[in-house]
Amino acid sequence: HEHEHSHVPHEHHHHHEHRGLQEVIAIIDATDMSAAAKELALKIFDIIADAEAKAHAVEKNAVHFHEVGAIDSIVDIVAIAVCADSLGVENVIVPELCEGRGTVRCQHGVLSVPVPATANIMQRFGFNVRLLPVQGEFVTPTGAAAAAALMTTDELPQSFKILGIGLGAGKRQYERPSILRALLIEDNAQKKKSLNSNALQTDCICQLQSDIDDCSGELLGYTLERLLAAGALDAHYQPVFMKKSRPAWELTVICCEEDRAKLEALIFAETTTIGIRRARMERTVLPRRRDVVHTAYGDVAVKRCLLDSGERCYVEYDSAAKLAQEQGLPLQDIYLAAQLAQKNIN
């Protein structure tokens, strides 16, 4: 549909109003929904803006969204975020994106499928893509961004039970129905592990390391931000001394195995390193779930972890910092308010 894709300012004879990214962020910020849902909605729109900025070779804040498209996208994205938050789903599996072939008409004219913004998102987040033998666009930038923000893995469990089914149909008329189906599933293996609710969980992760002695601090800082945004579980630098007593930085990245390739590609692209060490590691983690507590200043996202001695609640930094900036308060005041709200719940 013609209003799906955003664009940068250019000369034209139509009198369309446009919304910049900051205006869209302000609209979402002002929406009455939980902190976790708002955080997810902003993440989805940020992914779209990044993809459009790359497609047009401009800064992210220079991207402008057509008014109608912005309204549709905001409604779609907010609905997705609220739904995901309400369901309380922590893991989202996207085995593949099924895209059509040929071209589609949008604000810029006729573009090849997948359109540039969608292709950028597919590349950035390492989606498995299957092209259907059908002419048309089956994956829009909004849909790809939502999948990118939600996806935690692309591998289905070997055995599972279906707890719920959701269906959505597009308006376009194609040779085959344009239907999106989502299944709410329960991993049979995980269910057996969780029969004892206090049981510790184990999984496998990757550790990536590289020693870098010829890269500026600005580039390293930017790389760290991109790694975390791209799905790294954790990332940090520490000072080291290399051969010939050269001061350097050792980059360490912890990630899921399915994210390894795309994060390695990002490190090679953004730093001067010519080699990355990697190791497969096992880890033990506490059972946890995301939640929201209500304070006098607003909602704050928290993480609840289960120990043998009971439940422990951790305030999510990003959520607390954002609320502190909005309210013009010290961050520690937000932390104290969230911790007090948690104690009152208990």
Side-chain angles (χ1 to χ4, degrees), residues 182-221:
L183 303 179
L184 186 62
I185 67 173
E186 181 180 64
D187 185 343
N188 287 335
Q190 286 299 115
K191 182 179 180 181
K192 291 178 183 177
K193 290 180 182 179
S194 63
L195 289 177
N196 176 5
S197 60
N198 292 333
L200 295 176
Q201 300 171 358
T202 60
D203 63 4
C204 291
I205 55 174
C206 279
Q207 182 185 69
L208 309 178
Q209 280 192 334
S210 182
D211 297 333
I212 307 170
D213 65 356
D214 57 349
C215 198
S216 72
E218 291 88 351
L219 290 178
L220 294 176

Side-chain angles (χ1 to χ4, degrees), residues 5-10 48-59 62-64 106-108 111 116-117 120:
H5 308 293
S6 51
H7 57 91
V8 292
H10 62 283
I48 297 173
D50 273 332
E52 293 287 359
K54 181 178 179 181
H56 295 283
V58 298
E59 293 295 325
V63 173
H64 284 68
C106 63
Q107 289 291 326
H108 304 291
L111 297 178
N120 288 340

Side-chain angles (χ1 to χ4, degrees), residues 12-277:
H12 53 71
H13 301 292
H14 304 288
H15 298 288
H16 297 310
E17 292 187 27
H18 306 84
R19 296 186 196 274
L21 178 60
Q22 295 306 315
E23 295 173 90
V24 174
I25 291 174
I27 292 172
I28 295 178
D29 273 335
T31 304
D32 184 15
M33 55 181 170
S34 72
K38 191 174 295 185
E39 181 182 351
L40 177 57
L42 291 171
K43 181 179 180 181
I44 295 173
F45 232 109
D46 189 68
I47 291 172
I48 297 173
D50 273 332
E52 293 287 359
K54 181 178 179 181
H56 295 283
V58 298
E59 293 295 325
K60 184 163 60 176
N61 286 328
V63 173
H64 284 68
F65 299 87
H66 185 276
E67 185 180 24
V68 177
I71 292 173
D72 283 358
S73 293
I74 291 172
V75 172
D76 290 343
I77 289 169
V78 167
I80 291 169
V82 170
C83 179
D85 182 51
S86 299
L87 288 172
V89 175
E90 294 184 356
N91 296 313
V92 176
I93 306 166
V94 184
E96 62 184 8
L97 296 181
C98 296
E99 179 62 294
R101 300 170 185 263
T103 60
V104 64
R105 182 176 294 279
C106 63
Q107 289 291 326
H108 304 291
V110 178
L111 297 178
S112 297
V113 175
V115 298
T118 300
N120 288 340
I121 295 172
M122 290 173 171
Q123 178 191 27
R124 175 183 170 187
F125 291 92
F127 281 110
N128 298 316
V129 181
R130 179 160 62 94
L131 294 182
L132 304 172
V134 180
Q135 297 292 311
E137 181 187 31
F138 282 77
V139 183
T140 64
T142 299
L150 289 166
M151 183 178 73
T152 56
T153 181
D154 61 1
E155 293 186 7
L156 283 165
Q158 292 184 347
S159 174
F160 58 86
K161 286 186 172 66
I162 298 176
L163 306 181
I165 302 173
L167 292 173
K171 296 179 180 179
R172 298 179 187 171
Q173 299 297 318
Y174 289 137
E175 301 171 33
R176 59 181 289 174
S178 177
I179 293 175
L180 173 68
R181 182 177 68 175
L183 303 179
L184 186 62
I185 67 173
E186 181 180 64
D187 185 343
N188 287 335
Q190 286 299 115
K191 182 179 180 181
K192 291 178 183 177
K193 290 180 182 179
S194 63
L195 289 177
N196 176 5
S197 60
N198 292 333
L200 295 176
Q201 300 171 358
T202 60
D203 63 4
C204 291
I205 55 174
C206 279
Q207 182 185 69
L208 309 178
Q209 280 192 334
S210 182
D211 297 333
I212 307 170
D213 65 356
D214 57 349
C215 198
S216 72
E218 291 88 351
L219 290 178
L220 294 176
Y222 178 74
T223 303
L224 203 64
E225 292 177 1
R226 285 210 60 195
L227 287 167
L228 294 171
L233 301 175
D234 204 351
H236 66 268
Y237 291 103
Q238 61 182 358
V240 295
F241 286 95
M242 296 175 59
K243 60 184 179 182
K244 301 179 181 178
S245 299
R246 293 175 180 169
W249 297 95
E250 181 180 75
L251 167 64
T252 301
V253 179
I254 305 298
C255 65
C256 297
E257 290 185 285
E258 59 268 19
D259 292 330
R260 177 188 60 78
K262 71 175 181 182
L263 295 181
E264 285 183 339
L266 194 155
I267 294 170
F268 280 127
E270 297 292 355
T271 74
T272 55
T273 189
I274 57 174
I276 301 172
R277 302 182 297 275

